[in-house]
Amino acid sequence: MRVITQQSFGGPEVLTIVDAPEPEPLPTEVLVHVKAIGLNPLEARLRAGEFPLIGRPPFVLGWDISGVVGQAPRTWRFRPGDEVFGMPLFPRAASAYAEAVAAPALHLIRKPASLSHVEAAALPVVGLTAWQGLVDLAGVSEGDRVLIHGGGGGVGHVAIQIAKALGAYVFATASGSKREFVEGFGADEVIDYTAVDFAEAVRDVDVVLDTLGGDTAERSLAVLRPGGHLVTAVAEENARLIARYEAAGMRFSGIAVDPDPVGLRALVDLAGQGRLRVHVQETFPFERVADAHRVLDDGHLRGKLVLTL
């Protein structure tokens, strides 16, 4: 079996394909023969050594997978030959940059025929981050005003569609070059952050979803209505900012995505209704993972990147 290992901190050239034994699934796990792997900016940050979420190298990156069950010992949930997808084990290492992955059966669901392996592999991390932020944490409902930062990115373009499906009026920030792209996913108003200060352009927002980091969460305080709620995927442990929000009578929540088969099924239902699609900017063969990471490093993605096997 081939896996892609990170040998040392540095640039994408240190991602190396090596031979490794096929993992042996535990009784509560299934062995998935991988067909596609979704890539996320988080993995480029881990590769570069920005924070030691899964330790120091050598390690195998990756979480988003779609594939076919090869072994399913002592679990009634799946049988060999079932097509499945999911985001196993996060934030523990799932070692998904591989031809085969041993994953907890509870962290996977059956892939519907309506989704290709590429589409399914692109969905879990971004889809569950958006779903857990907007639905589980913020409780977005009909008529809410929602601001999504980074509307053209992986989480952002999925979050727009989820918020619209919930009945919200959606503002989204994006560069001017992405306006049509973001509008195509249903945003009611697109704010070109390169030309307009969003803090001056928007008011009385019920929920803000921050996917960007930097000073975005702090500046978003000005756009929220009294009692409004900021959900951030990038500044969840900022104690000073949390205190500032609480002092202003606002809610502040951080989201670190969890494996969630219930949320995944909800996303599949939306996709089946034609209300959700994940945009894949580019696919790369497994052997070109370094090229894919160069695109991740460059930033300004439209949706997701996917490796195929």
Side-chain angles (χ1 to χ4, degrees):
M1 181 189 78
R2 298 176 304 164
V3 301
I4 299 168
T5 62
Q6 162 77 20
Q7 297 296 332
S8 62
F9 289 138
E13 66 276 6
V14 299
L15 293 170
T16 306
I17 297 177
V18 301
D19 290 322
E22 191 169 86
E24 187 67 31
L26 298 172
T28 57
E29 295 179 331
V30 298
L31 183 70
V32 180
H33 294 298
V34 177
K35 298 295 185 182
I37 304 160
L39 304 188
N40 297 283
L42 169 66
E43 291 145 31
R45 296 175 62 196
L46 291 172
R47 187 209 71 235
E50 290 188 22
F51 56 92
L53 180 65
I54 55 176
R56 297 187 63 83
F59 51 59
V60 180
L61 291 165
W63 285 274
D64 281 337
I65 58 170
S66 183
V68 179
V69 173
Q71 298 179 42
R74 296 175 57 187
T75 177
W76 53 267
R77 296 180 183 277
F78 303 111
R79 295 180 180 276
D82 286 344
E83 294 187 325
V84 297
F85 77 106
M87 184 202 73
L89 294 171
F90 191 89
R92 291 166 49 205
S95 301
Y97 286 17
E99 291 182 311
V101 173
L106 278 170
H107 292 180
L108 303 168
I109 67 169
R110 284 181 172 81
K111 183 188 77 65
S114 58
L115 291 180
S116 68
H117 282 295
V118 167
E119 292 167 327
L123 183 58
V125 166
V126 296
L128 289 177
T129 299
W131 182 267
Q132 291 168 10
L134 294 175
V135 177
D136 297 339
L137 277 174
V140 171
S141 60
E142 183 82 29
D144 281 349
R145 290 162 59 87
V146 175
L147 170 61
I148 296 167
H149 289 296
V155 175
H157 84 289
V158 173
I160 290 168
Q161 297 170 82
I162 292 172
K164 291 302 296 181
L166 295 169
Y169 187 92
V170 178
F171 305 89
T173 62
S175 64
S177 63
K178 291 184 179 180
R179 176 177 295 277
E180 290 186 10
F181 177 77
V182 173
E183 288 175 340
F185 292 102
D188 295 289
E189 297 186 35
V190 179
I191 303 162
D192 179 358
Y193 68 83
T194 67
V196 178
D197 182 356
F198 75 84
E200 298 295 331
V202 184
R203 282 290 183 272
D204 297 323
V205 170
D206 296 281
V207 176
V208 174
L209 178 65
D210 171 29
T211 72
L212 299 178
D215 65 352
T216 303
E218 187 159 7
R219 294 174 58 228
S220 293
L221 183 61
V223 310
L224 285 166
R225 65 163 178 77
H229 193 166
L230 176 118
V231 178
T232 177
V234 285
E236 63 269 16
E237 297 180 354
N238 189 326
R240 180 192 61 80
L241 197 52
I242 293 171
R244 186 176 175 193
Y245 267 76
E246 291 177 348
M250 310 293 187
R251 296 178 63 195
F252 183 106
S253 298
I255 174 82
V257 64
D258 295 323
D260 178 8
V262 174
L264 271 184
R265 291 188 189 97
L267 295 171
V268 166
D269 287 345
L270 286 180
Q273 298 164 17
R275 306 174 79 183
L276 175 66
R277 60 185 174 91
V278 60
H279 177 78
V280 177
Q281 174 177 306
E282 192 171 357
T283 62
F284 295 81
F286 191 69
E287 294 78 9
R288 290 185 57 207
V289 62
D291 292 333
H293 267 250
R294 291 185 184 100
V295 177
L296 281 180
D297 288 340
D298 191 46
H300 307 293
L301 289 178
R302 296 189 179 204
K304 290 290 297 286
L305 304 177
V306 174
L307 296 179
T308 58
L309 290 92

